[in-house]
Structures are given as C-alpha cells and as structure tokens.
Amino acid sequence: MRSVMYCFFTFVVFAAPPAFAQDVKPALKIEARLFHSRTGFFSEDVLAPDAPGLGNVIIGENASSSAIVIVRINTTPALPTNTKLRLVAKETSTNKTTANARVKLRKLLDSTVTVPSTAADNTPVYIGFWLSDVGCMQVALKANLTTAGAVSATASATLDFLCYE
C-alpha cells in the first residue's frame, strides 16, 4: 500500500502541468536616467538605491533638464498582443522649497503604448518614455500594465529633484 501511494504521489507531482506558472503576474520596474545637456550622454539609473541625490541637476558639469524613464516588464507566461503600458508623470509639491510657495504643478506625461510583440517570448521588455523640462520639482511616476482591459501590474517611483535657489 505504501508503494502504491508513493507511485501515485510521484505521478501527481511530476505529471501534473505546472498550473501555478499560469498564475504568475507580470512585474514592472521603473528606472530613470538623466540626459546630460552638455555631453549628450545618459546618467546611471537615478532611482537605484546607491544613486546620488538629485539636487540642482539643472546646473553644473552634468547639467540636465530632461530624462528618460524606462519601464522593464518581466512576465511569464507571455503577454497577449493587446497589452498596453501607461506611464503618468506628475510634479508633486513635497519639496521643502516649494511647500509654502504657490506653485502650479504640472502633469509632465500621460502616455499609453502597446507593448511590443517581443514580450510574447517570455523575455524582459523595456519601454522608454521621454520627460522634458524637469529638474527642480519632485516627479511622481506611476506605471500601469493593462491586459484585456484590466490592470495586471503597477509600479511607482519618485524622482526627488530639488533646486536650492
């Protein structure tokens, strides 16, 4: 009886399709790189844990007033062809220098793109969004991945820009 149960258990575990793999949801990761106006090069990821602060990035040797936001999509199983990625970038008023001032906050970007078909082969996909005229106000970033009309993954980050003038 014991060997019959062992055989049955082995058959169920190894013969059953991995149903849990189908339940894995996509994961999003947001990166941001400053575009250096004087050199034409991009910085390292300014959202990385060891990234330098973003104070006064509009001046100096690596002056920057624009950035590229990169959303990495990791997914298994493959995404359907109608999958959309939306990124919203809004200025926020949590800077100490602007908290008491009357500052008109702007929506810098609200863009939705179709995820490229390269996401169909279960490999990471990167999608870039350009932000212009940044540098002194914090920017809240929110990414939503939508499949079949329903949000299947979200990610958010904050670019902690600050100017000391």
Side-chain angles (χ1 to χ4, degrees), residues 9 40 56 89 119-120 138 145 147 153:
F9 176 77
N56 278 353
Q138 283 186 337
L145 188 71
T147 304

Side-chain angles (χ1 to χ4, degrees), residues 33-44 57-66 130:
R33 298 174 188 278
L34 302 179
F35 179 72
H36 298 305
S37 306
R38 296 183 180 171
T39 64
F41 292 106
F42 288 98
S43 71
E44 294 296 318
V57 298
I58 60 170
I59 61 174
E61 183 180 331
N62 292 321
S64 176
S65 62
S66 52
W130 189 255

Side-chain angles (χ1 to χ4, degrees), residues 11-24:
F11 176 78
V12 169
V13 169
F14 293 109
F20 60 87
Q22 297 299 319
D23 296 336
V24 175

Side-chain angles (χ1 to χ4, degrees), residues 93 97-105 137:
S93 63
T97 57
T98 60
N100 296 328
R102 290 190 165 247
V103 176
K104 182 169 168 60
L105 301 176
M137 294 289 293

Side-chain angles (χ1 to χ4, degrees), residues 64-142:
S64 176
S65 62
S66 52
I68 187 165
V69 175
I70 302 162
V71 180
R72 177 184 169 148
I73 305 169
N74 290 323
T75 183
T76 301
L79 294 171
T81 57
N82 63 347
T83 301
K84 306 279 187 198
L85 179 67
R86 178 181 183 202
L87 182 74
V88 176
K90 295 180 185 179
E91 290 180 332
T92 63
S93 63
T94 56
N95 283 339
K96 292 176 186 172
T97 57
T98 60
N100 296 328
R102 290 190 165 247
V103 176
K104 182 169 168 60
L105 301 176
R106 301 175 295 153
K107 183 185 284 187
L108 300 174
L109 180 75
D110 187 345
S111 180
T112 302
V113 297
T114 301
V115 175
S117 60
T118 52
D121 61 2
N122 293 331
T123 60
V125 173
Y126 299 85
I127 298 178
F129 298 89
W130 189 255
L131 297 182
S132 58
D133 196 19
V134 296
C136 285
M137 294 289 293
Q138 283 186 337
V139 177
L141 304 168
K142 176 130 185 174

Side-chain angles (χ1 to χ4, degrees), residues 1-7:
M1 180 69 174
R2 185 180 267 170
S3 62
V4 170
M5 290 301 286
Y6 179 77
C7 289

